[in-house]
Amino acid sequence: MDMGSISPELLLASLMVAATPILLAALGELVVERAGVLNLGVEGMMITGAICGFAVAVNSGSPAIGFVAAAGGGAVLALLFALLTQVALANQVASGLALTLFGLGLSSLLGQGYVGIKPPPVAKLDIPLLGDIPFLGRVLFSHDLMVYLGLALVGLIWWVLKYSRAGLILRAVGENHDAAHALGYKVVRIRVMAILFGGACAGLGGAYISLIRVPQWTEGMTAGAGWIALALVVFASWKAGRVLLGAWLFGGVTVLQLNLQAAGFAIPVEYLSMSPYLITILVLVIMAGDKSRAPASLGRIFHASQ
Amino acid sequence: MTTPLLSISGLTKAYPGVVANDAVSFDIMEGEVHALLGENGAGKSTLVKMIYGLVKPDSGAMALHGAPYAPPDPHAARKAGVAMVFQHFSLFEAMSVAENVALGMEEPPRLRDLATRIKDVSETYGLPLDPGRIVGDLSAGERQRVEIIRCLLQDPRLLIMDEPTSVLTPQEVEILFQTLRKLSAEGVAILYISHKLEEIRSLCDQATILRQGQNVGTCLPRETSAREMAEMMVGSSFAAPERASRAPGEVALEITGLSVASPSAFGTALKDIHLSVQAGEILGLGGVAGNGQDELLAALSGELPSDAGAIRLNGTPIGWLGPTARRELGLLAAPEERLGHAAAPDMSLTENAFLTGAQREGLTARGFIRWTAARAFARAIIERFDVRTPGPDVAARALSGGNLQKFVIGREVLQRPRVLVVNQPTWGVDAAAAAAIRQALLDLAANGAAILCISQDLDELMEISDRFGALNEGRLSEIRPAQGLSVEEIGLMMGGAHGMEVAHV
C-alpha cells in the first residue's frame, strides 16, 4: 500500500468533475420538487440526455451543440412526464418509474451505432493567471465550462428561490397548490415549466458523463447517478447549497475510494465501493436534523376543483 | 353616488347536477357593508368566486364603477381593486408572513420595504403582526390577520370577507369591526359573508339573501331581527334551541391536575387543568384557537395519554386508556377538524360511521365488519341529523362542511355517550343546522349525558352551557356559571387567566 501515490491536488480536481453530473441532475430535480412534483424519472432523462448529447456532438463535431441537444432531449422526455402527470393527472411515482425504464430503453435504441466511437474533445478553460496559482489553480481553475455552469446554477437557483418573485411563486405552488390557485397562479403551467427545466438539467448531467467524464457511449452508462441525484435532493432538505455539498461529498468519496483501491488499501473492495453512498447519506441525514421539511404539496395531484 | 360600485345582474353558474347561482342580481354601493346570507350550499361561495375571477359565470354580467367587469383571473380582479379574505385560509404554512402577503399582491415592493409596510398597516388597524414569523407558528386568529393585511395593502375598492369572525375573540371581533367601519368610511365597499346574524345586524347596511342559488330577497339588517333573517335563509321557520331545566347528577368526568406536552411542535402544552362535568350538564370552554383546545380534546379522546388518575370517568381512572377503550366506557369525542381527524376524507360515510361506532353500536362480529348494520347506522345518522347527501356510500370529502359536521356530531350523539367532548361543533355551519346541532347537544344533556363543549363561538357557549371557562396558553380559567356573565368578564377570562386561582370544583 502506498498512500503517497494519492495526490490531494489531483483528488480535489477530479472531485469537482465527478460531482458535476449528479449536481446538475439534482439541481433540476430540486426545482421540480420545490414546485411540488416528484419526478422519479431522473435516471431516464439523464441517460437520454447522455445519448442525445453524444450523438449530436459526434455528428456535428461540436460538444457545445451536443450539450444543447442533451438539454433538449432531457426536456422532451420530461414533457412526456408533464403530460402524464399534469394533464392526464396520472400518478407521479408510477409515471416517473415508467419514464426511467422508457429512457433506458430509448437510449439503447438511439445509441446502437455509437458504441466504441470517441466524441469530439471538450476544451478545458485555460484561465490565465488564476490557473497558474499553485495547488488552487489546478483544483479550482483548470476545468471545463460545464463544471462552472453547475456551480453558477447552484448560486442562481439559491438566489431565485430565496429572493425572486418567480421563486416565491414556485415555492408557493409546491407548498399549497390549492391556495396558489385561489390566488390566481397557474399551477399546472408553473409545474410544467419546472418539469421541463428539471429534464434539461438531467440531460446536461447525462451528457457530461458521456462527453467529458468517461467519454464514450455504453448502454446504461449513467449507472444509477439519477437515483443518487434524487436521494441527494431529499437528504439535502431541498436546499441548493446542501445539494452542492452532497454532490462534492459523493464525488469526493467516489474518487478517494478509487484511489484507495488503486493504492491497494487493505479494505475489501465492496466496502470501498459502497462507501460514497453510505457517507453521503450519513452526513446529509445528520444535517437534515433541523426543522426543514418537504414541500407540503410534493407528489400530490392538483386538480382545480372549479 | 348614483352609480353602484359593483352591479351584478343575472349571474348564473351551473355545475353538473346543481345550479349554484340562478340569475342573481344586486348592487353594492361605495362605502357600503353588504351582507350575503344563505345556508351552506346556497351559492354564496360560487358567487364571490365569480366576483374574484376564480370562476367564470355561464351567463349574466357585472359592472364595476359602471364599466363592464369580467375578470378572467384573480390577478385582474385585484388590479380592478377587488380583494378577498378566504374562509379556508389561502396561506402557505412554511413561509413567512411577509412572503405570504407578497404572494397575494400584484406588484409587491421588496421584502424589506414590505415588512415595514406590514408593520405600519398592522399598527394603523390594530392588528399586530410580525412580518418575519412563519405562518405555521401562528394561531388561527393571527393567520386571519395575515389575510386581511394582504388585502388592505392593495388599497381595495371592494373587500370580500368569507366568514371572517369564526376564529376571533369578542375583543378581536370588535377590533375587526372597527377596522371594517374605518374602511367603509374611507369609501371601501365590503361584501360580508357570515352565519352570525347578530354580527351582521350590528355591522352591515344591506343584506342579500340567497337560497338554493337564487336571490330570495334583501333586507336592512338593522331593522330585521336575526330570527327573521334566518327564516328567510331557510325559507321556513325553525325552532331555536330550547333548554329543558334539568338537575345535574353525579360527576361523570373529572380532570385533576392534567398536564401534558403537546404532540405537535407548534402546539400548546396543557398546564395543570382541573375541571369536572356532572351528568346532565354542559360545560362550555371558550378561548382563542391555539390555546390548548386541540390538546385538551386529544387528552380526553385518548389520542394523548396522560397519568391514569388525571382523568376519571365515573370515578374510574382512564388517563392511560386509548380511544377505543374510552369509547367502550362511554367517553366519546368529536374533534374540530372534520376532514382528516373527525372523518377520513376518502372513505364513505358508512365506513366513517363504522370507524367510531364499531364498539358501541356492535358493528363487528367475530372480527368481521357487519356491513348491513354499519350502513343502517350511517343511514340513521343521515336521517336523524338531516345530512344532505345522496346516500351513505358517498365519500366524506364530497359533503359540504356543514353537512359533514352534522354527520360527525350525529355519529357520536347517536351512540348514547355518557360523556361527550366536542370541539367547535358548529364551525362553518349555517344557522338552521347549527341550531339543530345545539338542540341535539341540549337533548343529549337532558337525557343525562355530561357534555364538554369547546368552542370559539361565544354566543353558542352562552346559549347551551351551564357553566363556562376559558383556555389561555394551556391553562384553564376559573369556571363560572354561564348565566349572567358579561362579555367583558368573558373577555378577561379568555385574555389572561394566569393570575387567577384555578377553581377546584
Side-chain angles (χ1 to χ4, degrees):
Chain A
M1 176 186 128
D2 178 17
M3 290 298 277
S5 69
I6 300 174
S7 135
E9 192 182 359
L10 207 60
L11 195 72
L12 287 174
S14 47
L15 169 163
M16 308 252 303
V17 173
T20 300
I22 48 173
L23 177 65
L24 286 168
L27 285 173
E29 180 68 9
L30 174 100
V31 170
V32 178
E33 294 195 12
R34 273 301 188 90
V37 180
L38 183 64
N39 184 353
L40 295 182
V42 180
E43 179 80 5
M45 300 186 299
M46 275 186 93
I47 192 95
T48 305
I51 184 58
C52 288
F54 190 86
V56 170
V58 165
N59 288 327
S60 69
S62 156
I65 298 178
F67 275 110
V68 172
V76 167
L77 204 63
L79 184 64
L80 183 66
F81 177 82
L83 288 177
L84 282 174
T85 58
Q86 303 304 307
V87 181
L89 303 181
N91 178 289
Q92 295 181 2
V93 171
S95 307
L97 293 175
L99 197 70
T100 288
L101 295 175
F102 177 65
L104 287 170
L106 181 72
S107 62
S108 313
L109 181 72
L110 292 175
Q112 272 177 349
Y114 293 95
V115 179
I117 297 178
K118 270 205 121 8
V122 178
K124 298 211 163 161
L125 287 190
D126 247 333
I127 307 173
L129 295 175
L130 286 178
D132 301 332
I133 304 172
F135 192 75
L136 276 186
R138 182 80 193 274
V139 172
L140 291 178
F141 303 109
S142 63
H143 298 291
D144 52 86
L145 191 62
M146 292 305 290
V147 170
Y148 303 112
L149 186 79
L151 292 178
L153 211 53
V154 173
L156 185 73
I157 288 175
W158 171 80
W159 185 86
V160 165
L161 286 178
K162 194 166 163 97
Y163 293 109
S164 79
R165 176 133 181 102
L168 182 64
I169 293 170
L170 183 98
R171 282 190 287 138
V173 166
E175 188 58 37
N176 184 346
H177 51 215
D178 292 320
H181 173 71
L183 290 174
Y185 296 108
K186 307 274 184 235
V187 175
V188 170
R189 189 184 300 170
I190 291 164
R191 286 190 169 164
V192 167
M193 292 196 301
I195 292 170
L196 293 182
F197 177 78
C201 285
L204 286 178
Y208 191 83
I209 300 179
S210 66
L211 288 176
I212 299 178
R213 177 105 201 273
V214 175
Q216 60 171 5
W217 167 252
T218 42
E219 266 183 40
M221 68 182 310
T222 47
W227 296 109
I228 296 294
L230 264 169
L232 211 57
V233 175
V234 177
F235 290 121
S237 309
W238 294 269
K239 291 188 170 86
R242 289 193 194 175
V243 165
L244 175 66
L245 193 81
W248 272 350
L249 194 67
F250 184 79
V253 182
T254 307
V255 175
L256 181 68
Q257 64 97 2
L258 286 174
N259 277 292
L260 288 175
Q261 280 188 36
F265 202 59
I267 290 180
V269 174
E270 290 79 5
Y271 287 112
L272 286 174
S273 308
M274 74 168 81
S275 60
Y277 303 90
L278 278 179
I279 293 174
T280 309
I281 288 175
L282 200 70
V283 169
L284 289 171
V285 163
I286 292 166
M287 286 182 56
D290 62 8
K291 237 177 37 169
S292 55
R293 55 186 183 87
S297 289
L298 183 60
R300 281 173 48 210
I301 292 174
F302 171 73
H303 177 60
S305 55
Q306 271 139 32
Chain B
M1 285 274 292
T2 42
T3 323
L5 175 77
L6 178 72
S7 167
I8 292 171
S9 53
L11 273 194
T12 300
K13 177 72 191 177
Y15 291 114
V18 306
V19 180
N21 283 141
D22 186 2
V24 176
S25 307
F26 63 90
D27 291 342
I28 303 172
M29 310 303 285
E30 247 178 57
E32 178 181 270
V33 186
H34 194 114
L36 193 56
L37 294 175
E39 290 188 87
N40 297 317
K44 303 178 304 265
S45 295
T46 307
L47 184 64
V48 294
K49 278 183 184 165
M50 288 195 280
I51 300 174
Y52 196 56
L54 274 170
V55 173
K56 281 198 187 67
D58 295 335
S59 65
M62 293 183 276
L64 195 70
H65 298 295
Y69 169 69
D73 57 26
H75 298 291
R78 287 198 290 265
K79 273 195 189 120
V82 177
M84 178 157 165
V85 173
F86 291 87
Q87 176 185 13
H88 299 291
F89 304 123
S90 61
L91 298 176
F92 306 92
E93 294 204 352
M95 299 189 181
S96 72
V97 169
E99 286 175 327
N100 268 282
V101 170
L103 279 165
M105 296 178 72
E106 280 318 298
E107 281 148 13
R110 299 171 56 93
L111 273 185
R112 208 170 310 141
D113 306 335
L114 185 61
T116 327
R117 283 188 58 194
I118 290 173
K119 267 195 194 129
D120 291 348
V121 171
S122 70
E123 273 161 27
T124 315
Y125 289 99
L127 307 164
L129 201 57
D130 176 357
R133 285 183 69 190
I134 299 296
V135 168
D137 297 343
L138 300 181
S139 72
E142 288 172 310
R143 288 179 193 208
Q144 191 189 37
R145 282 182 207 158
V146 181
E147 292 237 13
I148 293 174
I149 285 172
R150 177 153 80 186
C151 294
L152 293 184
L153 277 174
Q154 300 175 80
D155 301 320
R157 303 311 303 152
L158 172 66
L159 182 61
I160 304 170
M161 305 201 85
D162 197 351
E163 293 203 44
T165 59
S166 48
V167 292
L168 305 182
T169 62
Q171 278 86 348
E172 284 177 314
V173 170
E174 202 36 60
I175 291 169
L176 174 69
F177 281 13
Q178 279 169 15
T179 308
L180 295 182
R181 288 195 186 104
K182 198 165 168 181
L183 284 170
S184 126
E186 288 165 11
V188 179
I190 295 161
L191 184 59
Y192 190 88
I193 299 179
S194 175
H195 288 305
K196 297 187 183 172
L197 299 172
E198 286 302 334
E199 282 180 1
I200 286 174
R201 292 193 63 220
S202 75
L203 181 73
C204 301
D205 309 311
Q206 268 287 339
T208 295
I209 294 150
L210 293 183
R211 193 197 312 148
Q212 286 164 2
Q214 289 177 320
N215 181 349
V216 293
T218 54
C219 65
L220 294 175
R222 293 205 172 89
E223 294 162 14
T224 315
S225 75
R227 193 165 175 76
E228 283 167 333
M229 286 195 275
E231 285 176 5
M232 283 174 87
M233 280 158 56
V234 185
S236 62
S237 55
F238 65 89
E242 271 175 42
R243 57 163 92 194
S245 64
R246 49 184 189 252
E250 292 177 2
V251 170
L253 175 73
E254 186 166 27
I255 301 178
T256 39
L258 173 68
S259 300
V260 282
S262 173
S264 107
F266 301 141
T268 309
L270 295 176
K271 297 165 192 108
D272 194 30
I273 304 262
H274 291 263
L275 64 83
S276 70
V277 195
Q278 287 159 286
E281 180 192 47
I282 300 181
L283 172 64
L285 289 187
V288 182
N291 274 298
Q293 284 93 336
D294 294 343
E295 288 76 10
L296 182 58
L297 184 114
L300 287 171
S301 71
E303 293 161 75
L304 199 58
S306 56
D307 296 337
I311 304 174
R312 285 173 189 272
L313 183 69
N314 296 94
T316 321
I318 56 161
W320 52 272
L321 291 181
T324 309
R326 293 191 194 193
R327 274 195 205 113
E328 272 166 11
L329 291 172
L331 172 59
L332 305 186
E336 170 185 8
E337 180 59 47
R338 294 184 275 257
L339 287 173
H341 196 180
D346 292 317
M347 295 178 99
S348 72
L349 294 180
T350 303
E351 288 166 322
N352 272 297
F354 172 83
L355 283 175
T356 77
Q359 290 84 32
R360 289 183 77 77
E361 294 295 311
L363 301 181
T364 56
R366 288 180 227 95
F368 289 93
I369 299 173
R370 294 172 56 212
W371 282 112
T372 326
R375 202 162 286 128
F377 179 47
R379 228 175 248 130
I381 303 167
I382 292 169
E383 239 162 70
R384 167 78 174 69
F385 283 84
D386 187 28
V387 180
R388 308 221 176 123
T389 166
D393 298 322
V394 171
R397 187 191 289 289
L399 268 64
S400 76
N403 273 314
L404 186 57
Q405 186 67 28
K406 287 194 271 186
F407 184 84
V408 297
I409 297 283
R411 179 178 66 180
E412 308 306 326
V413 168
L414 285 192
Q415 291 179 45
R416 303 168 309 278
R418 297 169 80 172
V419 177
L420 177 62
V421 185
V422 289
N423 190 4
Q424 297 272 63
T426 59
W427 195 65
V429 176
D430 64 64
I437 288 176
R438 287 170 197 158
Q439 186 63 56
L441 294 177
L442 285 167
D443 291 348
L444 191 64
N447 289 331
I451 297 177
L452 181 63
C453 178
I454 307 169
S455 176
Q456 284 152 45
D457 184 343
L458 290 174
D459 296 335
E460 166 172 282
L461 290 177
M462 288 305 112
E463 192 173 318
I464 65 170
S465 41
D466 301 293
R467 286 184 300 140
F468 174 85
L471 280 167
N472 186 308
E473 290 179 12
R475 291 185 183 84
L476 185 63
S477 73
E478 186 189 357
I479 292 177
R480 299 164 70 171
Q483 277 187 337
L485 274 185
S486 70
V487 173
E488 285 73 27
E489 286 172 308
I490 294 170
L492 279 176
M493 287 168 81
M494 289 166 70
H498 316 285
M500 298 187 192
E501 198 181 314
V502 178
H504 299 261
V505 202

